[in-house]
Amino acid sequence: FDLVLLDLNLPLRTGVEVCRTIKALAPDQPVLICSAAVVADHEAELRQLGVAGFLGKPYHPEALRDHVVRLAR
């Protein structure tokens, strides 16, 4: 995929667990966290995993577009 948009609040697994799995399978896969649940503990671990960025909810559609355009370069 060109980009994974990932929330942290998921029904069966946490977003952090999903991100760990994605990065284990495809370390270069860009992952953008789009979540209202970004807290300092998660942010530090996600940065260590190499996420491309964070976008807190609620967000303006233009902010999402700007992140996607930046990551597509």
Side-chain angles (χ1 to χ4, degrees):
F1 299 101
D2 292 328
L3 175 66
V4 173
L5 298 176
L6 180 62
D7 199 329
L8 295 180
N9 290 323
L10 302 173
L12 301 176
R13 296 174 65 193
T14 70
V16 175
E17 291 171 335
V18 172
C19 186
R20 260 191 237 116
T21 300
I22 291 169
K23 289 300 197 172
L25 295 171
D28 294 331
Q29 175 65 60
V31 176
L32 176 61
I33 303 297
C34 298
S35 183
V38 177
V39 295
D41 293 341
H42 291 154
E43 186 174 351
E45 182 174 3
L46 290 164
R47 285 198 188 281
Q48 286 181 334
L49 289 171
V51 299
F54 298 92
L55 189 58
K57 289 182 181 177
Y59 54 83
H60 194 278
E62 289 177 4
L64 175 60
R65 183 200 62 216
D66 292 346
H67 277 275
V68 170
V69 167
R70 178 182 55 83
L71 294 171
R73 292 185 187 146

